Amino acid sequence: MVKITVSEQNSNNLCVAYVYNSLSSYLNICGANADITFDDTRTNLIMATDKKYLPYIIKQTEEKIASINAFGEREY
């Protein structure tokens, strides 16, 4: 299993939740695991997938992050 982490400041944790929710169907199809964790300053989306699905998951993750950047941070 390969791990992928998306991290953002806790003040922007809705962005991480958006990425997680948007990817959930893709992650299920690939048999990947995902958890959102919190520490003092960061909200983290940690995904684990088989290496063969890594390019697909990365592409989907990048698209979701790009949509946040393109449309700005707003309430989801």
Side-chain angles (χ1 to χ4, degrees), residues 6-8 12-20 36 43-45:
V6 175
S7 181
E8 182 57 87
N12 294 326
N13 62 9
L14 290 178
C15 295
V16 177
Y18 167 77
V19 173
Y20 173 76
I36 294 179
T43 301
N44 310 291
L45 169 57

Side-chain angles (χ1 to χ4, degrees), residues 12-72:
N12 294 326
N13 62 9
L14 290 178
C15 295
V16 177
Y18 167 77
V19 173
Y20 173 76
N21 289 329
S22 298
L23 291 175
S24 63
S25 63
Y26 300 109
L27 296 171
N28 286 335
I29 290 168
C30 296
N33 300 317
D35 287 311
I36 294 179
T37 63
F38 303 90
D39 59 35
D40 291 339
T41 60
R42 309 291 293 179
T43 301
N44 310 291
L45 169 57
I46 302 170
M47 299 172 279
T49 187
D50 289 330
K51 191 173 183 176
K52 66 182 177 182
Y53 297 117
L54 183 62
Y56 177 72
I57 297 295
I58 288 175
K59 181 178 185 279
Q60 295 301 319
T61 302
E62 288 172 343
E63 287 180 7
K64 302 310 177 197
I65 292 170
S67 70
I68 292 169
N69 291 331
F71 297 108

